[in-house]
């Protein structure tokens, strides 16, 4: 059994063959897929797919940092309105949220404010968070450590930091999300995954992005999470089935999956 803990298979990149991509995922043993939201424009697509199979898809609702701008408050209020949540099935997390300073740091303060709001919402609702972090680890940690963290848990998705950062994440009780980047030739993730417990790792694809080898450069899809599991198995020297079972148990525990 495998769980893809981060997929945007509801996006337009899958409009031509979404059903086939889902079938391929099931064929390799993917038992559940978690669908993180991006912003208001993605909620309807996400909701339609999640409702099509409520035993297979689970939802994370939130505002992605790259969608934060000067007018973020109105969008944030609508995303977190009671009516919005009522329209979404199987909400198991708040995400994806975080900070992204890779392309532009114009709205760094706004991203911090949005992250802080969503962290507090998650804590109040007793939901885990899915953290997007790109060139912003120290800034995100500043926001997290400045607040009451009691009961706050989650995953740093598509982890790309070094071991020291991973240790900090694990010590907080958070998980490390590992995807296709693990398979890349120049990736530093092999060092990280050999030094943290398997019980602190979640598998993901972030499809349609960051396809693993041997599919790198193509559209990513949930079935390719099996390639990530295979690579992780090779790196840490544990059976493939063991890697699948432990990481799936981790996902079930974090997201309270049935």
């Amino acid at each position: 059994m495998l769980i893809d803990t981060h997929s945007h298979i509801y996006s337009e990149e899958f409009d031509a063959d979404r059903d086939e991509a889902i079938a391929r995922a099931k064929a390799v043993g993917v038992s559940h897929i978690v669908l993180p939201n991006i912003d208001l424009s993605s909620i309807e697509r996400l909701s339609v797919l999640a409702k099509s199979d409520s035993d297979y898809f689970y939802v994370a609702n939130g505002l992605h940092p790259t969608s934060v701008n000067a007018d973020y408050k109105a969008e944030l209020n609508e995303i977190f309105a009671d009516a919005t949540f009522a329209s979404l099935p199987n909400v198991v997390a708040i995400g994806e949220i975080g900070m992204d300073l890779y392309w532009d740091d114009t709205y760094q303060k706004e991203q911090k404010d949005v992250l802080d709001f969503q962290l507090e919402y998650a804590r109040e609702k007793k939901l885990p968070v899915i953290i997007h972090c790109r060139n912003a680890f120290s800034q995100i940690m500043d926001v997290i450590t400045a607040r009451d963290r009691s009961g706050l848990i989650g995953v740093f998705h598509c982890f790309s930091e070094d071991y020291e950062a991973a240790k900090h994440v694990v010590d907080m009780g958070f998980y490390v999300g590992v995807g296709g980047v693990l398979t890349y030739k120049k990736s530093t993730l092999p060092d990280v995954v050999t030094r943290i417990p398997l019980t602190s790792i979640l598998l993901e694809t972030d499809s349609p992005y960051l396809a693993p080898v041997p599919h790198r450069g193509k559209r990513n899809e949930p079935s390719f999470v099996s390639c990530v599991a295979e690579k992780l198995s090779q790196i840490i020297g544990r059976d493939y089935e063991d890697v699948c079972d432990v990481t799936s148990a981790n996902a079930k525990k974090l997201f309270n999956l049935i």
Side-chain angles (χ1 to χ4, degrees):
M1 179 177 65
L2 286 160
I3 295 178
D4 184 355
T5 61
H6 200 110
S7 172
H8 303 283
I9 194 174
Y10 56 82
S11 66
E12 62 184 10
E13 286 87 348
F14 291 95
D15 283 355
D17 66 339
R18 186 172 290 105
D19 289 344
E20 291 83 355
I22 294 168
R24 288 191 290 270
K26 292 180 177 180
V28 299
V30 177
S31 63
H32 301 295
I33 299 175
V34 178
L35 308 172
N37 187 43
I38 299 297
D39 51 35
L40 278 177
S41 69
S42 56
I43 283 182
E44 184 175 357
R45 277 180 164 272
L46 183 156
S47 180
V48 168
L49 179 59
K51 289 176 180 177
S52 71
D53 190 343
S54 60
D55 293 324
Y56 194 70
F57 296 110
Y58 291 85
V59 171
N61 189 29
L63 179 59
H64 193 287
T66 59
S67 294
V68 173
N69 55 40
D71 300 321
Y72 73 87
K73 290 184 178 179
E75 183 162 20
L76 194 63
N77 288 337
E78 190 167 347
I79 286 174
F80 286 91
D82 290 343
T84 302
F85 268 82
S87 71
L88 295 170
N90 294 345
V91 176
V92 297
I94 302 302
E96 68 189 272
I97 68 176
M99 295 184 67
D100 190 319
L101 305 179
Y102 182 76
W103 297 111
D104 187 3
D105 64 358
T106 302
Y107 297 109
Q108 182 171 168
K109 180 184 182 301
E110 289 81 357
Q111 286 190 33
K112 284 185 175 180
D113 290 344
V114 171
L115 173 59
D116 189 62
F117 173 90
Q118 293 181 106
L119 289 172
E120 179 59 22
Y121 186 95
R123 196 177 70 84
E124 290 178 354
K125 298 296 184 181
K126 298 182 179 179
L127 288 171
V129 293
I130 298 174
I131 300 286
H132 171 106
C133 175
R134 196 172 189 195
N135 282 29
F137 185 76
S138 63
Q139 291 88 343
I140 289 174
M141 294 309 302
D142 286 345
V143 175
I144 292 176
T145 56
R147 63 162 34 261
D148 180 1
R149 299 203 312 275
S150 59
L152 186 64
I153 56 173
V155 55
F156 275 69
H157 118 84
C158 195
F159 192 81
S160 59
E161 307 295 327
D162 60 14
Y163 165 70
E164 292 303 323
K167 184 177 184 301
H168 199 164
V169 167
V170 171
D171 287 347
M172 288 196 309
F174 277 61
Y175 291 83
V176 172
V178 175
V181 175
L182 179 68
T183 69
Y184 298 170
K185 188 174 182 179
K186 295 183 179 180
S187 174
T188 59
L189 276 181
D191 175 65
V192 172
V193 299
T194 58
R195 300 172 69 184
I196 63 174
L198 183 59
T199 51
S200 295
I201 295 175
L202 300 184
L203 300 184
E204 61 172 67
T205 60
D206 199 19
S207 48
Y209 315 109
L210 300 172
V213 174
H215 308 286
R216 189 175 184 182
K218 301 177 182 178
R219 183 196 68 179
N220 202 359
E221 62 176 67
S223 65
F224 295 169
V225 73
S226 61
C227 300
V228 181
E230 288 173 0
K231 184 66 174 181
L232 181 58
S233 170
Q234 295 167 9
I235 291 170
I236 66 174
R238 292 180 67 164
D239 290 342
Y240 174 80
E241 292 77 10
D242 190 27
V243 167
C244 295
D245 289 346
V246 174
T247 56
S248 294
N250 298 342
K252 287 184 175 182
K253 180 179 179 181
L254 178 63
F255 297 119
N256 194 28
L257 304 185
I258 300 173

